[in-house]
């Protein structure tokens, strides 16, 4: 009698003729199951039939962009969608001057550049040329550029100048150069996903995020590097560098977006996050990043890694810049079915003392990695009038085990890559790299994937019970399981620099908020940045103010 172990081997490998007899409970033990001999005998024909079903499915190729019919819903029971009294309204500084060394414009904020462009003190063409020259000069050093979109950028910049000269001003992003993580499709340019098997891939469509930025008048200057298939900072060319420390990677997977923004090669960039891919490179490179709520920004035209966890957001010089970019890219597009129609706004007249703010007290301890900077940051918020209340995260759920959700979805997204053995072309081939994760995930039972998502439902409800009492919750960026939890539940997070570590690399703090309440956490982060100056500091090797002083 064939045992269950052999039946499952046949299921995976297609033949049992040369497979030696193995203990009958081998795979049962792996899956925490135990069957009797008669039960194993009864399953044989069903397992064989299931294998035939898999073989039939494998005859039909699926594009990475095809979503499962089952969609993730982050909305907890009892949740009320926020409403906004007015659209986003930001009063820009009217007194912004062009520096004597015009290359210093590379580190101006979007709001500062917008004022200069609107007042016609600089042109989009001249600004675009500054960024293109810096991309050419420093891109190879940082290994952060996949494709320069120079022809497109110059055409967009010239159009912006013509429109503004005619009195047609599209808004604060009009004429502002930016870059996108190279998992966003731009028609006519390669979209490599950072991985050798897709090095020459050209997708004949443009991502919704890029289309919306085009409509806002922004100027696309580059497609930026990413960790291969959105993991880490290693891609098919090299490791993307941290501009503060060239011996260190920029972290990932939005590696190029963090590096290029920090080094002044773009005015802002677009990154994505599934499990820390905006928070981590923003921290390492000292920029301000926003991971919006799940369902806020369209993912059409973006590489899918995990349909229920992927988010797209801005990486900028300030929280205010993140608000400006989010305002342009958010909202339904009629294509991505996971989006919600929820207005975005910033508070107009709100005192910090009027906000109810929590902090994850369990992770603000002397044993924490960034204790000194984080505890000092709490005092900054208190000096602004914040009355901070200790908050605890849900602790009675198997948070770490829910990682099989990402593994299973990622393995499905790249099923063809695994079965064609093209995964061997990826640079990283260790245990924690995607090729091994994709292979291992083939053995995650569908039942356990569904069970994990049932626990996720409970997690969503419990996080709602915690967060609904607060306007914002302050937390160490990597404190406890909060990064994993909030990516699973879809809650928004803003991350911003709050000092430096002993290696003189930036550190960060994060603020998480209720679903679709990005305006509140950005308002609080902006208040912190008004009271400090970390976001105004730039990597010396790439700062025109410091490089100009060298003999």
């Amino acid at each position: 009698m064939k045992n269950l172990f052999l039946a499952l081997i046949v299921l995976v490998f297609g033949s049992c003729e040369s497979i030696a007899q193995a203990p009958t409970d081998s795979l049962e033990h792996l899956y925490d199951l135990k069957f009797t001999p008669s039960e194993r005998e009864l399953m044989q024909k069903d397992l064989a039939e299931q294998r035939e079903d898999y073989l039939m499915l494998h005859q039909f190729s699926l594009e990475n962009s095809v979503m499962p019919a089952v969609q993730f819903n982050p909305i907890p029971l009892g949740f009320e969608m926020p409403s906004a009294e007015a659209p986003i309204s930001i009063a820009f500084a009217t007194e912004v001057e062009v520096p004597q060394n015009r290359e210093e414009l590379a580190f101006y904020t979007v709001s500062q550049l917008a004022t200069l462009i609107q007042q016609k003190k600089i042109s989009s063409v001249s600004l675009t040329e500054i960024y293109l020259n810096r991309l050419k000069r420093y891109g190879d050093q940082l290994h952060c550029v996949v494709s320069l979109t120079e022809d497109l950028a110059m055409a967009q910049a010239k159009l912006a100048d013509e429109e503004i000269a005619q009195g047609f001003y599209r808004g604060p992003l009009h004429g502002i150069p930016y870059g996108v993580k190279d998992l966003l499709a731009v028609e006519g340019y390669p979209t490599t996903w950072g991985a050798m098997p897709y090095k020459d891939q050209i997708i004949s469509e443009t991502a919704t995020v890029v289309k919306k930025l085009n409509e806002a008048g922004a100027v696309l200057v580059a497609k930026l590097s990413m960790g291969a298939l959105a993991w880490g900072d290693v891609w098919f060319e090299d490791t993307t560098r941290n501009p503060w420390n060239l011996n260190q990677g920029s972290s990932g997977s939005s590696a190029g977006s963090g590096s290029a923004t920090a080094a002044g090669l773009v005015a802002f960039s677009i990154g994505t996050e599934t499990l820390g891919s905006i928070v981590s490179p923003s921290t390492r490179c000292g920029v301000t990043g926003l991971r919006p709520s799940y369902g806020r920004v369209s993912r059409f035209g973006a590489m899918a890694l995990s349909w229920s966890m992927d988010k797209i957001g801005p990486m900028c010089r300030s929280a205010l810049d993140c608000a400006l970019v989010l305002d342009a890219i958010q909202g339904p597009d009629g294509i991505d079915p996971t989006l919600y129609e929820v207005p975005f706004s910033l508070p107009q007249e709100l005192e910090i003392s009027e906000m109810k703010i929590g902090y994850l007290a369990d992770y603000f301890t002397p044993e924490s990695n960034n204790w000194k900077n984080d505890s000092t940051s709490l005092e900054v918020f208190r000096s602004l009038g914040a009355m901070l209340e200790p908050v605890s995260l849900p602790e009675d759920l198997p948070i770490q085990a829910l990682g099989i959700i990402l593994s299973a979805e990622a393995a499905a997204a790249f099923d063809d890559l695994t079965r064609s053995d093209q995964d061997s072309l990826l640079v990283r081939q260790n245990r924690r790299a995607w090729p091994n994760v994709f292979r291992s995930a083939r053995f995650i039972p569908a039942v356990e994937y569904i069970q994990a998502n049932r626990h996720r439902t409970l997690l969503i409800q419990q996080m709602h019970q915690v967060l609904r009492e607060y306007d914002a919750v302050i937390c160490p960026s990597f404190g406890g399981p909060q990064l994993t939890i909030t990516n699973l539940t879809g809650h928004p997070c803003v991350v911003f620099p709050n000092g430096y570590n002993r290696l003189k690399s930036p550190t960060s703090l994060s603020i998480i908020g209720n679903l679709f309440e990005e305006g509140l956490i950005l308002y609080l982060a902006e208040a912190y940045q008004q009271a400090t100056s970390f976001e105004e500091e730039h990597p010396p090797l790439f700062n025109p103010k410091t490089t100009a002083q060298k003999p």
Side-chain angles (χ1 to χ4, degrees):
M1 180 186 70
K2 294 179 182 177
N3 55 50
L4 180 61
F5 176 79
L6 290 181
L8 288 175
I9 292 294
V10 171
L11 192 66
V12 177
F13 296 103
S15 173
C16 65
E17 293 179 358
S18 61
I19 300 175
Q21 187 71 21
T24 59
D25 63 350
S26 295
L27 285 183
E28 291 175 27
H29 178 74
L30 175 64
Y31 292 126
D32 191 27
L33 297 168
K34 188 170 182 61
F35 300 120
T36 66
S38 62
E39 288 170 337
R40 295 183 193 119
E41 176 69 25
L42 201 60
M43 281 190 286
Q44 300 308 309
K45 289 185 178 180
D46 295 281
L47 290 173
E49 288 178 1
Q50 288 174 15
R51 179 176 181 272
E52 292 303 313
D53 290 340
Y54 303 151
L55 291 174
M56 184 177 296
L57 289 171
H58 293 166
Q59 294 176 25
F60 297 84
S61 180
L62 287 169
E63 296 291 335
N64 175 267
S65 58
V66 178
M67 301 180 66
V70 179
Q71 294 177 11
F72 171 60
N73 178 12
I75 309 301
L77 293 173
F79 178 78
E80 294 184 7
M81 288 288 190
S83 59
E85 296 179 358
I88 184 172
S89 177
I90 297 175
F92 294 134
T94 56
E95 300 299 325
V96 181
E97 299 301 326
V98 178
Q100 185 174 359
N101 179 359
R102 293 174 72 88
E103 194 167 347
E104 293 176 18
L105 291 169
F107 286 101
Y108 276 33
T109 64
V110 169
S111 57
Q112 289 173 321
L113 294 173
T115 297
L116 292 175
I117 286 178
Q118 187 179 23
Q119 294 177 352
K120 301 183 179 64
K121 292 182 178 179
I122 60 172
S123 68
S124 178
V125 166
S126 63
L127 185 62
T128 299
E129 289 173 341
I130 289 172
Y131 282 117
L132 285 171
N133 288 335
R134 289 180 63 84
L135 284 161
K136 294 173 183 177
R137 191 188 322 158
Y138 297 121
D140 289 343
Q141 186 178 12
L142 292 169
H143 300 290
C144 66
V145 180
V146 178
S147 301
L148 277 180
T149 55
E150 185 169 7
D151 292 342
L152 174 64
M154 292 308 298
Q156 290 178 331
K158 290 175 182 176
L159 177 61
D161 287 337
E162 291 171 2
E163 290 180 337
I164 292 169
Q166 295 167 6
F168 178 40
Y169 183 62
R170 294 176 181 264
L173 301 187
H174 203 173
I176 306 295
Y178 74 101
V180 297
K181 184 176 181 177
D182 196 38
L183 55 57
L184 290 168
V186 178
E187 190 169 6
Y189 291 90
T191 301
T192 71
W193 300 345
M196 183 61 75
Y198 306 99
K199 181 175 180 292
D200 300 315
Q201 174 180 246
I202 295 181
I203 300 174
S204 59
E205 62 189 20
T206 296
T208 290
V209 166
V210 177
K211 287 182 178 179
K212 289 196 171 194
L213 288 169
N214 288 346
E215 292 166 4
V219 175
L220 179 62
V221 291
K223 301 196 74 182
L224 303 169
S225 64
M226 56 182 282
L229 305 183
W231 190 334
D233 48 25
V234 179
W235 56 299
F236 61 80
E237 285 290 346
D238 207 303
T239 301
T240 303
R241 310 297 179 180
N242 174 11
W244 294 88
N245 179 358
L246 297 180
N247 295 318
Q248 186 180 51
S250 68
S251 189
S253 65
S254 302
S257 297
S259 182
T261 303
L265 310 192
V266 291
F268 71 90
S269 61
I270 300 296
T272 68
E273 173 154 323
T274 305
L275 192 62
S277 291
I278 287 176
V279 170
S280 190
S282 293
T283 298
R284 181 71 58 84
C285 299
V287 301
T288 302
L290 174 69
R291 182 190 73 220
S293 304
Y294 181 92
R296 170 68 87 174
V297 179
S298 172
R299 299 170 301 175
F300 174 75
M303 184 200 86
L305 182 65
S306 170
W307 294 279
S308 72
M309 294 179 68
D310 296 342
K311 282 85 59 179
I312 299 177
M315 299 171 70
C316 305
R317 307 204 197 292
S318 71
L320 179 59
D321 284 3
C322 285
L324 294 172
V325 178
L326 179 63
D327 189 48
I329 65 175
Q330 64 96 28
D333 62 351
I335 306 174
D336 185 341
T338 67
L339 299 176
Y340 295 86
E341 181 72 71
V342 186
F344 168 63
S345 66
L346 283 176
Q348 299 301 304
E349 296 180 3
L350 177 64
E351 296 293 334
I352 301 296
S353 59
E354 298 174 358
M355 298 179 69
K356 190 169 184 182
I357 303 170
Y359 74 107
L360 296 183
D362 293 344
Y363 308 116
F364 286 92
T365 66
E367 293 74 34
S368 303
N369 289 334
N370 197 34
W371 156 247
K372 182 179 179 181
N373 293 343
D374 289 350
S375 59
T376 300
S377 296
L378 289 182
E379 293 308 313
V380 172
F381 284 112
R382 289 188 176 104
S383 72
L384 293 171
M387 301 293 290
L388 303 180
E389 299 181 14
V391 179
S392 295
L393 292 172
E395 297 179 350
D396 59 347
L397 289 171
I399 306 301
Q400 183 176 354
L402 300 189
I404 67 170
I405 295 172
L406 169 56
S407 297
E409 293 185 12
F414 290 98
D415 172 57
D416 287 347
L417 187 72
T418 300
R419 290 192 295 107
S420 67
D421 200 32
Q422 292 294 295
D423 55 355
S424 62
L425 298 177
L426 269 65
V427 176
R428 295 176 66 233
Q429 292 289 333
N430 57 46
R431 182 187 164 211
R432 295 296 184 185
W434 278 137
N436 186 61
V437 173
F438 293 162
R439 296 170 199 140
S440 301
R442 302 293 306 209
F443 295 90
I444 297 173
V447 170
E448 303 301 350
Y449 171 77
I450 292 172
Q451 293 296 76
N453 273 291
R454 294 177 71 194
H455 286 291
R456 189 179 186 181
T457 296
L458 298 178
L459 180 62
I460 289 170
Q461 288 300 134
Q462 290 189 19
M463 278 299 288
H464 176 57
Q465 296 301 318
V466 171
L467 294 175
R468 69 177 182 175
E469 301 295 328
Y470 298 93
D471 294 309
V473 173
I474 301 168
C475 54
S477 295
F478 304 99
Q482 70 82 14
L483 191 59
T484 299
I485 288 175
T486 55
N487 269 293
L488 283 165
T489 59
H491 286 92
C493 169
V494 59
V495 56
F496 47 91
N498 74 333
Y500 301 90
N501 61 23
R502 59 182 179 82
L503 299 176
K504 298 183 179 180
S505 288
T507 60
S508 74
L509 193 68
S510 292
I511 304 174
I512 56 178
N514 285 283
L515 288 173
F516 305 108
E517 293 286 10
E518 292 89 351
L520 286 173
I521 61 175
L522 288 169
Y523 178 83
L524 190 57
E526 175 66 13
Y528 176 88
Q529 293 184 327
Q530 290 293 325
T532 59
S533 60
F534 298 116
E535 83 284 358
E536 298 174 5
E537 299 171 10
H538 312 298
L541 288 176
F542 302 92
N543 188 346
K545 288 184 178 180
T546 54
T547 55
Q549 296 172 2
K550 292 182 180 180

